């Protein structure tokens, strides 16, 4: 166990979960309605909000981003021994969902500019066992989706978008999560919009798949059809699990969706401030800042810098901590983790995954972070790089 460092009053947390006052009101409403299990009015409102605003065929709230990925893996109908291509630089859930189905994970390298899967390396990794390409829109910045969808079509592969970080981000005008066959959102407390633990699955394929998704989400029953009055009793029709979240969580999320634009603008404002303040230093080569391709509209999920190397990053995080600022790094590349070694392998050369993951550090960025706090953080970064 790591010792907990006591933090003073001026401590700037790395993350604070989003909260808006109506959240409490809506949770109360759900309780007073005596409807706190899944698929009540708040869940419906959230699903419809995403469908309408993101022009998505079908959106289903889930208990987490992880469970949305698990549902996507089930819908892909993968079998033990099938191969799934994904970046190694991601959260373990991206791989777990397919590992659970007995798949072999083929990790490939990232592009250093966006930290996304390098679309130019995908085709070489395809074998006759490959069934799925699972992309991750890191930091809410889209992967090169036209190229990836073209590869998938030519090789008859499914595309799953891990858009856990990509809610309110776009690629050529299309909302992330609505481009591949299935999209997965997360509403974990570290994400732009949160319900504590929660997520959503987006089904972009066809009615048959939508029906299958509803069945998987409802313990293998056709209860969704029953609720719509399409059948007069419901029964167990296929395999499934329980992937629908409580109304209490959906009510909390709804309070943020109502002001999603405002939350997004406030995050963008902070992100732009970091970007503009650090532009010069990055041009001088002191550290690197994020790159947003022209095709992408991002959601300011994250602001990171890339230090020279691991040693400098350790010193940086330590320096920020001494200045009462919480900065964190991620991810330990999956292919080098114990489970990654067991369930997959790295295809090709690891040019950037390990090297750049060791250099990246995230600055605080959350809804409610004050101008004063942002200034404190910027000053501390500049001070660190003065020496
Ligand atoms: C957060 C995240 C997940 C997992 O989402 P949960 O809601 O925590 O299960 C998966 N993939 C990526 C890239 C994430 O950032």
């Amino acid at each position: 166990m790591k010792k907990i460092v006591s933090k003073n009053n001026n401590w700037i947390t790395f993350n604070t979960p989003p909260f808006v006052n109506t959240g409490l009101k809506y949770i109360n409403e759900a309780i007073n309605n005596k409807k706190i299990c899944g698929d009540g009015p708040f869940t419906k409102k959230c699903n419809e909000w995403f469908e309408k605003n993101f022009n998505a065929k079908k959106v289903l709230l889930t208990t987490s981003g992880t469970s949305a990925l698990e549902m996507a893996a089930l819908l892909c109908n993968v079998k033990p021994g099938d191969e799934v291509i994904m970046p190694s630089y991601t959260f373990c859930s991206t791989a777990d969902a397919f590992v659970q189905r007995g798949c072999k994970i083929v990790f490939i390298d990232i592009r250093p500019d966006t930290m996304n899967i390098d679309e130019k390396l995908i085709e070489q990794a395809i074998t006759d066992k490959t069934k799925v390409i699972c992309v991750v829109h890191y930091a809410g910045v889209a992967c090169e989706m036209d190229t990836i969808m073209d590869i998938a079509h030519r090789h008859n592969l499914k595309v799953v978008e891990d858009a856990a970080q990509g809610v309110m981000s776009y690629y050529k005008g299309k909302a992330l999560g609505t481009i591949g066959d299935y999209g997965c959102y997360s509403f974990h407390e570290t994400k732009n919009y949160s319900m504590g633990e929660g997520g959503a699955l987006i089904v972009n394929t066809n009615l048959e798949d939508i029906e299958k998704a509803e069945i998987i989400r409802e313990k293998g029953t056709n209860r969704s059809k029953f609720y719509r009055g399409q059948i007069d009793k419901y029964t167990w029709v296929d395999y499934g699990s329980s992937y629908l979240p409580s109304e209490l969580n959906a009510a909390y999320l709804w309070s943020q969706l109502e002001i999603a634009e405002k939350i997004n603008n406030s995050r963008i404002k902070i992100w732009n401030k970091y970007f503009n303040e650090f532009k010069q230093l990055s041009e001088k080569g002191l550290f690197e800042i994020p790159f947003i391709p022209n095709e992408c509209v991002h959601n300011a999920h994250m602001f990171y810098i890339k230090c020279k190397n691991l040693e400098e990053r350790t010193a940086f995080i330590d320096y920020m901590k001494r200045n009462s600022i919480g900065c964190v790094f991620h991810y330990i590349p999956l292919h080098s983790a114990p489970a990654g070694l067991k369930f997959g392998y790295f295809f090709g050369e690891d040019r950037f995954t390990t090297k750049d993951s060791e250099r990246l550090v995230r600055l605080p960025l959350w809804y409610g972070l004050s101008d004063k706090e942002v200034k404190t953080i910027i000053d501390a970064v500049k001070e660190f790089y003065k020496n």
Side-chain angles (χ1 to χ4, degrees), residues 63-76 78 93-94 96-98 100-101 160 184 201 216 241 243:
T63 46
S64 64
T66 303
S67 51
L69 285 159
E70 288 180 15
M71 289 182 71
L74 283 166
L75 290 165
C76 285
V78 281
S93 296
T94 320
D96 264 330
F98 294 97
Q100 281 184 351
R101 311 255 67 81
V160 174
C184 304
L201 174 76
I216 288 170
S241 187
Y243 288 129

Side-chain angles (χ1 to χ4, degrees), residues 203 291 305 324:
V203 183
F291 165 72
I305 67 167
S324 304

